[in-house]
Amino acid sequence: MKIETDYKSDGSVYAIDVKSIGVRTLLKVLKRYERISSLVRLKYFFNSDEPIISFVFNNVDIIIWIPFGDSGIYRIQSRNDEVDLVELKNYLQEYKLNFLEKLFML
């Protein structure tokens, strides 16, 4: 799992790009984080820039979508860029995939 971040001019994180991971594994990783609630997979087939996953983080609605359709990148951001996602970025960077997650990346 590779993490890249986009920053606002004030230094806060407004978007996180997650690469080298499957959507099912990403869902499992997010389910394990206690600050996330209402995690829902919205779409099973991705053919547009519409959100595929939504959840609540620090009382703010967050979406995950795939830029450019099928690029292998999952972009995590709030609907209105209203929250600093540095805590979520740190969690994802520190998370260690177990053997089966690495093997199957589903």
Side-chain angles (χ1 to χ4, degrees), residues 4-105:
E4 293 181 7
T5 52
D6 288 336
Y7 296 91
K8 292 183 184 177
S9 59
D10 65 2
S12 61
V13 176
Y14 78 90
I16 303 167
D17 289 341
V18 181
K19 303 175 182 180
S20 302
I21 191 170
V23 69
R24 286 182 12 197
T25 302
L26 180 58
L27 279 165
K28 289 177 186 177
V29 169
L30 292 172
K31 281 180 185 178
R32 292 183 178 126
Y33 192 38
E34 67 276 352
R35 300 194 73 153
I36 290 177
S37 61
S38 304
L39 183 65
V40 176
R41 184 170 181 173
L42 303 171
K43 291 191 172 268
Y44 287 86
F45 301 101
F46 328 123
N47 58 1
S48 67
D49 291 339
E50 296 177 10
I52 60 166
I53 298 170
S54 71
F55 60 92
V56 176
F57 174 71
N58 288 343
N59 296 319
V60 176
D61 290 331
I62 306 293
I63 58 170
I64 299 177
W65 59 286
I66 301 173
F68 316 113
D70 187 21
S71 63
I73 300 170
Y74 300 101
R75 174 156 277 224
I76 303 171
Q77 66 187 87
S78 72
R79 291 190 185 272
N80 301 320
D81 298 329
E82 60 196 37
V83 65
D84 187 359
L85 297 174
V86 70
E87 289 178 51
L88 183 56
K89 176 195 74 120
N90 291 339
Y91 168 75
L92 291 170
Q93 284 180 328
E94 294 169 5
Y95 186 88
K96 303 292 183 216
L97 295 173
N98 67 38
F99 175 75
L100 290 176
E101 290 169 337
K102 286 181 187 177
L103 181 65
F104 293 108
M105 290 288 182

